[in-house]
Amino acid sequence: MIISLIALPIFAMSLAATLGLSMLATPAETVAMELGQTQGRIGTMYAQNGLSQQGPRGDLGPQHSEGEPDPNFTSPNLASMVPAGYQALPWRSFNLTVPVGAANVVLPNVAADVLNPAFEGKYTLLDGHAPTSANEALGSPGLLDRFGLTMGEKLTTSAGAFAIVGTIRDHGSDDDVSRVYLKQEQIPVPLADHPDQENIYLLGEKPLTWADANAFNAKAVILTSRNLLLDPPSMAEIGPHAKDLTADARLDSLGSSALAASLFGVLALLEVGLLAGAAFAVGARKQQRDLALLAASGAESSMVRTTVTASGLWLGLAGGVVGAVLGSIAAAVGVVVMQSQGISRFPGVHIMWPVALGLVVVGVAAGLVAAMVPARAVAKQATLAALKSGRTADAPSKWTARIGLALLVLATVVMAAASLITWVSNGTDSAYTWTSLTTSLVIAGAVMLVFALICLTGSIIKLITAKTSWLPIPLRLASRDAARNRGRTVPAVAAVLAAATLSGALMVVTASIMAQDNENYQWRYNINQTGIPLEYTSYTQTSAGPGTTNLSDPKTSRINPAKLSLALKGALGQDTLTQVLRGAPGTSPCHRLLEQAQAAGLEKPAEPCYGWALAEPAANRCEMAADYKPKDLKDFRCKGSMSNNGFGGDVPSIVVGGESELAALLGRAPSSAASQVLREDGIVITNRIYLNEDHTASVITYDPTDPLSYAATQPGDDGKFFMRPSLVAASTQKLAAVVDAPDKPLDFYGVVSPAAAAKLGIPVDDRLMLVTVPQALTPAQKDNLQGTLASFMGQSYGIQIQNGPAANITMILWMVVVGAALVTLSAAGITAGLALADGRNDHATLASVGADPRLRKALSASQTLMTAFLGTVLGLFAGAVPIVVLLSLSRGTPIVVPWLQFSVLLILVPLFGAAAAWMFTRGKLPMSRRQTLA
C-alpha cells in the first residue's frame, strides 16, 4: 500500500510533466512541421522602412522595428527575392467561399503543391490519391465532415468546382479544421493576384544563415530558416535587441503553468507523505515486538531507527520508479493516440529523463520523510513495554506545539512578504519580474502552514476533547481514544488535512478563474440570443482589386421584418422567438459620414449628425488608478451596462418600445415599476450610474463627428482620471426614470415609449431583429442560417449566437467538489482502515468486557467522523488561505471562496467516512492468542 501511495502522485506528476513537455516542439520537429525538407521560407515583413530586424525563429518569433516610416519604402516582390541556387516553391493561402443555400460561407484554401517531396513532414496524404486533373483537389478531414462530402464528391467554391480525391493532414493544425488544397494554376487570375498570405519555400543544398536573414530584412523580407532554427546565432551576433528577438512565449507560458502547478504538486506530495507516514506508523507498531527484541539484544536506538527508515528508502524508491515509469508510458500512449487523431497540440513524445529521475528522487524523499517520524517514535518505545505487547499513553512533547506556533507565524510573515513585494512593485515595469519570487514565497508559506497545523493538531485535539462528558458513549469513547492515542490520531487527521488542503485550493482557484472569465466576458445579448440589423450598408467595389471599396458610394438597403421572422422560424424551428427593436440609428452612420468627409479632404461633415446618450451625474463618475483599472474595484460606478460608454453595440443605445421589447432584452419579465414608468412616458435605464438624485435620467443630444463633443480623458489638474469621457451635450432633456438592470451588462442605456422618443426628437425606425433560439446552434444550423440571411442581404453575413463564457462555473465547481470529495474520502478511508487495524486490540478488549458489535461499529464510525471532520476543517482553511493570498497579488483578479461547496465537502466527507467505517467494522473479531515471553 505504501508503494501505491507514493507511486500515485509521482505517476500524476510524471504524466503532467511528459504531456507538458510534449506540447513543446523540438527544433527538429518545428523544422519538419513548418518547412518540410526545404531550407527555409521567405515572406513579406510588413515593415515601414529598411531597419526592421527579425529573430532567429523568423515568422515564428518576434520582430523589432525602429525609425520613422519611409514613404518611398514599398512591399517587396517575393518572386524576385529568391537567391541563386534555390528552387522556389510558391505557397499561398486564400479565403474562398462555398455556397450554402443562398449564403457564401468562408473556406480557407492553400494553393501549393503539398504532395511535393519537399513538403514531406509538413503535409501527409491520409487517404485517396493525388489529383490527376484540374478538376480534382485535396481537402482536410474536417472539410469532408463539415460539408458532408464523400471521397470523389464535388465541392463548389468561388475558385470553381472540384472533386475531393484525397485527404491531407497538415502537421501544424488539427484535422478538424476545414481546408481545401489546390495548386497555383487552379486559382482564377483575379483571386490569385490578391492572396491573404504568401510565402516562397526555398529548396536547395546550401543552408540559409543569419547573414542571409539580415540581407532579407533590409528588403522587408522575413526568413524562416532550417539552419537558424536548428543552430540559432549567438546573442552577440543578433545585436542589441537580442533579448527581445529571442523571447519565446511558449516557454514563458509553460513556466507560468509550472509555477501554478507546483503548489498543487507540493500539496499532493504532502498528502501522500502523511498517508504513507500513517501507514508506516501502524506497520512499525505491529513490528514493535521484533524491534524491541532487536533493542534488547544490544542494538542502539539509531540502529532501530535505521531499520525502520531503510524500509522507507526502498519503498520510496520502488514507488518513485513505478510512478515515474508508468506516468511516462501513459503520457506517451496518450500523445500517440492524440497524434493519430490529428491533434497538433502534441508534436512529439518528449520524455525528459532528468525530470523522470528527479521524480524518482522525490519518491525516495517522500518514503524517507514518511518513515522518519514512526522510526523515531518506535526507537523511543520502552523495551519492556514493547516486549509485553502493551501500549503506554503518548507523552506529547511541548516542543511540538511550540514548533507549530513558530511555523504559523513564519508562514504568515512569508505570505505577508509576498503581498508587500507585490504592493510595492504594482504598476511598475518590474512588477512581472517579481512573479516567480512572490509565487515561491506563497508556496513556501502554504507548506509551512500545513506543517504548522499538523504540529498543532495534538493541542487542538486536547482542546476539543476536554469537555466531552455530555456526548453519547461512542463519541465520548472516540474523543478519549483520540486524546490518549495521539500517535494514531494525529497522522490520521494530518492525512485528511493534506487531502482537504489540495481540494480546498483547487476549488478556490477554479471558482476564481471562472469568475474572472465571467467578469471579463463581453456580453452583447443574453444566452442563445443574437441580433440581425434590419438596415445594412454596402459599398461599390472599385477596380483596384478585391477588398477595395469606394466609401463615397454607399448603398443602404432595408429588410422586411415580417418576412425575415418567417424565414428564421423556417430555418431554425418554430420555437425561435423574434422581436423587432426600434430606436435611433446610433453613431455608425455619423462615423461613415465623417469617413466620407475626411476622404473628401474635409475635417467633418458639413451638416451635424446627432446621437443620443444618457449623461451621468458627476458624483457617479468612475475614477481610475495608475494601473488603468478602477481605483475601487467594487465601486458600482465602474460596473454594469454601458459603464464604458459602449457605443458599438448592435442594440440601439436607446430602444423605443414597451414591455415586450424590454422583456425580450432582459430575458425575463420587467419589474412592475419599470412597466409603470413606461406607461407614464418615462425611461427604464439599465444602470443606476445614469440615475439622478431626483429619480430622473438626463438624455443628451450630441454630435459624435465633432471632436469637441468629447471632454478630455487625460488626468485633470487634480490628477484624477475617469473611466468614461464626458459627452458635451448640444441639448439635454430629463425624463422620469427607474432602474431595471439586465442580468448581464448589455450595451444599451434603456427603453423609452414612442411618445417619450417623440418628445426627445429621436428618429425612430426598425433597427434590429432580436432572435432567441431554444438552444445553441450546430455548425450545420449556422450554415443554414447564413443561407437564410444571404437571401435577404444578398451577401454573406457573419452572425454569432450568444453562448456566454466558455464554461459554466457552477457545473465545473460541482465537478471539482466531486473530485475533491473522492480525493479526501480516499484519504479518510485509508486512515480509517489504518486506525481500525491499529486499534484491533482495543476492539478486542471492548468485546471481552461485553460490548456488542453495534457499540464497536459506532465507535469506529465516531473515530472516523472526528478524524475526517477535523482534518477537513483544517485542510480547507490551509488550502484556501494561500490561494487567496496568491490571487490577491494581482489587483483586479476576483477572489471567490465557494462556501456552499466547502460546506458540502465538510458534511459529505465525514459522513461518508463514518458510514464506511460502520460498514467495514467486523461484527465478529478473529480469535487472538495470548503472547508470552520466551
Side-chain angles (χ1 to χ4, degrees):
M1 185 178 72
I2 293 173
I3 293 177
S4 300
L5 289 173
I6 294 175
L8 190 60
I10 300 299
F11 169 86
M13 287 188 284
S14 176
L15 178 72
T18 304
L19 288 176
L21 292 171
S22 297
M23 294 171 65
L24 291 178
T26 63
E29 290 167 344
T30 301
V31 165
M33 288 190 303
E34 297 291 338
L35 304 177
Q37 306 303 311
T38 64
Q39 289 295 340
R41 67 176 175 229
I42 56 175
T44 302
M45 204 171 189
Y46 303 105
Q48 58 186 5
N49 53 39
L51 301 178
S52 298
Q53 185 183 8
Q54 70 171 72
R57 291 176 56 82
D59 57 22
L60 302 175
Q63 304 171 29
H64 176 77
S65 299
E66 60 184 17
E68 297 296 326
D70 184 354
N72 299 320
F73 198 76
T74 58
S75 298
N77 181 358
L78 290 180
S80 65
M81 298 293 174
V82 178
Y86 294 93
Q87 178 186 349
L89 300 176
W91 183 98
R92 291 180 171 187
S93 69
F94 304 87
N95 272 339
L96 305 180
T97 57
V98 175
V100 177
N104 290 314
V105 298
V106 176
L107 173 66
N109 157 255
V110 169
D113 185 10
V114 295
L115 294 183
N116 190 311
F119 287 124
E120 181 184 351
K122 180 175 176 62
Y123 298 111
T124 301
L125 180 66
L126 294 178
D127 192 15
H129 59 83
T132 57
S133 69
N135 296 324
E136 295 179 343
L138 301 170
S140 64
L143 177 75
L144 303 183
D145 295 337
R146 178 180 179 184
F147 296 104
L149 300 174
T150 57
M151 198 70 70
E153 193 171 352
K154 280 196 172 184
L155 175 70
T156 301
T157 72
S158 54
F162 304 97
I164 307 300
V165 297
T167 54
I168 288 290
R169 171 170 293 166
D170 181 349
H171 292 276
S173 65
D174 294 347
D175 280 359
D176 60 0
V177 174
S178 57
R179 186 178 288 121
V180 64
Y181 298 90
L182 301 173
K183 292 186 178 180
Q184 298 285 341
E185 56 270 19
Q186 292 176 291
I187 304 295
V189 174
L191 186 61
D193 291 340
H194 299 278
D196 295 305
Q197 183 181 349
E198 181 179 11
N199 291 111
I200 292 181
Y201 287 78
L202 304 175
L203 182 62
E205 299 295 330
K206 183 181 177 183
L208 294 163
T209 64
W210 184 245
D212 295 321
N214 289 331
F216 277 122
N217 293 169
K219 300 176 182 178
V221 174
I222 192 168
L223 169 67
T224 307
S225 165
R226 168 187 295 269
N227 177 58
L228 296 180
L229 288 171
L230 296 175
D231 185 19
S234 65
M235 302 290 275
E237 289 180 90
I238 297 174
H241 306 295
K243 185 177 180 180
D244 295 332
L245 293 174
T246 55
D248 194 338
R250 304 171 308 156
L251 298 178
D252 295 339
S253 176
L254 183 66
S256 300
S257 301
L259 277 175
S262 59
L263 176 57
F264 295 100
V266 168
L267 294 177
L269 278 176
L270 275 177
E271 177 195 354
V272 170
L274 292 168
L275 283 172
F280 268 115
V282 173
R285 281 197 287 270
K286 292 293 183 183
Q287 295 177 321
Q288 65 181 7
R289 177 178 171 81
D290 297 332
L291 295 172
L293 287 172
L294 182 63
S297 63
E300 297 180 356
S301 297
S302 58
M303 176 65 71
V304 177
R305 284 200 306 272
T306 304
T307 302
V308 178
T309 307
S311 63
L313 172 66
W314 291 109
L315 293 176
L317 178 62
V321 171
V322 170
V325 171
L326 292 181
S328 298
I329 293 174
V333 171
V335 169
V336 171
V337 169
M338 284 183 279
Q339 285 179 326
S340 67
Q341 299 299 314
I343 299 176
S344 62
R345 185 180 297 272
F346 299 94
V349 179
H350 303 155
I351 299 177
M352 304 297 287
W353 297 112
V355 175
L357 183 60
L359 291 176
V360 172
V361 173
V362 169
V364 172
L368 284 174
V369 172
M372 284 175 62
V373 174
R376 180 174 176 271
V378 169
K380 292 174 64 177
Q381 288 283 342
T383 301
L384 183 58
L387 290 174
K388 286 182 177 179
S389 299
R391 181 175 298 170
T392 58
D394 296 332
S397 172
K398 294 180 180 179
W399 281 102
T400 304
R402 294 172 183 172
I403 293 173
L405 287 173
L407 286 173
L408 186 62
V409 172
L410 188 58
T412 304
V413 170
V414 167
M415 287 190 276
S419 300
L420 180 62
I421 292 173
T422 302
W423 180 75
V424 171
S425 62
N426 195 16
T428 65
D429 295 335
S430 62
Y432 292 103
T433 62
W434 294 98
T435 301
S436 298
L437 174 61
T438 53
T439 304
S440 301
L441 287 174
V442 173
I443 292 174
V447 175
M448 286 187 284
L449 178 61
V450 171
F451 278 112
L453 293 177
I454 291 172
C455 291
L456 293 172
T457 297
S459 300
I460 296 173
I461 291 173
K462 179 182 178 181
L463 180 65
I464 64 177
T465 59
K467 303 292 183 180
T468 57
S469 58
W470 56 276
L471 292 174
I473 292 178
L475 287 174
R476 189 161 67 244
L477 289 174
S479 64
R480 290 178 179 177
D481 179 76
R484 184 173 64 91
N485 294 311
R486 295 190 201 175
R488 175 199 303 164
T489 308
V490 171
V493 172
V496 178
L497 183 154
T501 299
L502 184 63
S503 303
L506 187 59
M507 282 193 286
V508 175
V509 164
T510 303
S512 300
I513 290 177
M514 293 297 102
Q516 185 175 33
D517 290 343
N518 209 349
E519 286 185 6
N520 294 337
Y521 189 78
Q522 298 297 314
W523 292 93
R524 299 176 64 189
Y525 308 99
N526 292 307
I527 293 291
N528 291 335
Q529 277 188 342
T530 190
I532 301 172
L534 297 175
E535 180 180 285
Y536 63 94
T537 302
S538 58
Y539 297 92
T540 303
Q541 184 171 300
T542 66
S543 59
T548 306
T549 56
N550 182 6
L551 294 178
S552 63
D553 187 23
K555 180 182 179 182
T556 301
S557 304
R558 298 194 61 80
I559 299 174
N560 186 307
K563 292 182 178 179
L564 177 61
S565 178
L566 288 175
L568 290 173
K569 289 179 181 290
L572 303 177
Q574 294 302 313
D575 293 337
T576 302
L577 303 178
T578 59
Q579 175 67 57
V580 176
L581 299 182
R582 298 167 59 83
T587 59
S588 296
C590 296
H591 292 310
R592 286 196 292 268
L593 289 175
L594 180 61
E595 291 174 353
Q596 294 168 15
Q598 291 175 343
L602 302 176
E603 183 179 354
K604 63 178 183 177
E607 298 293 332
C609 182
Y610 292 114
W612 286 264
L614 296 187
E616 60 177 339
N620 288 353
R621 303 202 70 189
C622 174
E623 186 178 353
M624 305 294 282
D627 59 357
Y628 299 101
K629 294 179 182 179
K631 192 171 184 179
D632 182 359
L633 295 170
K634 297 181 179 180
D635 193 342
F636 80 94
R637 298 173 297 181
C638 308
K639 299 178 180 180
S641 297
M642 300 298 281
S643 59
N644 59 347
N645 275 352
F647 300 114
D650 294 330
V651 177
S653 58
I654 298 179
V655 177
V656 179
E659 293 184 44
S660 60
E661 286 83 0
L662 181 58
L665 285 165
L666 296 178
R668 56 173 172 79
S671 66
S672 58
S675 301
Q676 180 67 25
V677 82
L678 281 177
R679 288 192 292 269
E680 296 175 354
D681 296 332
I683 180 172
V684 178
I685 61 177
T686 58
N687 197 330
R688 60 174 172 149
I689 62 176
Y690 297 106
L691 186 67
N692 298 320
E693 291 184 356
D694 58 354
H695 298 286
T696 63
S698 301
V699 183
I700 64 173
T701 304
Y702 70 101
D703 185 358
T705 66
D706 187 352
L708 298 179
S709 292
Y710 296 87
T713 58
Q714 298 300 318
D717 296 336
D718 56 358
K720 292 183 178 180
F721 177 42
F722 295 100
M723 184 175 184
R724 297 174 295 276
S726 296
L727 297 174
V728 177
S731 63
T732 303
Q733 298 186 62
K734 285 189 175 183
L735 294 178
V738 68
V739 180
D740 196 354
D743 295 334
K744 311 299 181 185
L746 305 182
D747 273 344
F748 72 103
Y749 287 113
V751 179
V752 297
S753 66
K759 176 183 176 183
L760 295 170
I762 297 177
V764 179
D765 208 342
D766 295 342
R767 299 299 175 190
L768 190 78
M769 174 74 75
L770 187 65
V771 183
T772 306
V773 295
Q775 58 189 6
L777 301 184
T778 65
Q781 288 177 313
K782 291 178 181 178
D783 287 341
N784 289 335
L785 179 59
Q786 301 292 355
T788 301
L789 294 179
S791 65
F792 286 88
M793 297 184 172
Q795 61 182 1
S796 178
Y797 178 75
I799 185 170
Q800 293 291 331
I801 299 292
Q802 187 75 72
N803 295 322
N808 186 302
I809 179 173
T810 304
M811 182 185 68
I812 291 180
L813 266 180
W814 284 114
M815 291 175 62
V816 172
V817 168
V818 172
L822 291 175
V823 172
T824 313
L825 276 173
S826 65
I830 291 171
T831 54
L834 292 172
L836 289 175
D838 192 40
R840 181 174 295 175
N841 290 338
D842 296 338
H843 281 261
T845 302
L846 281 174
S848 67
V849 298
D852 61 9
R854 286 182 299 176
L855 177 60
R856 291 188 288 102
K857 283 177 171 286
L859 174 60
S860 298
S862 300
Q863 289 173 324
T864 305
L865 182 70
M866 291 186 61
T867 299
F869 181 78
L870 181 58
T872 304
V873 169
L874 296 178
L876 291 177
F877 173 78
V881 168
I883 297 300
V884 168
V885 173
L886 193 63
L887 293 174
S888 67
L889 301 183
S890 176
R891 200 176 86 88
T893 301
I895 301 174
V896 179
V897 179
W899 295 109
L900 176 61
Q901 286 77 13
F902 271 25
S903 301
V904 170
L905 190 66
L906 187 59
I907 295 172
L908 189 68
V909 171
L911 290 182
F912 270 81
W918 173 280
M919 291 176 59
F920 291 107
T921 299
R922 293 183 180 181
K924 294 182 179 180
L925 291 174
M927 294 293 293
S928 59
R929 60 184 177 85
R930 182 181 298 276
Q931 294 179 338
T932 58
L933 293 177

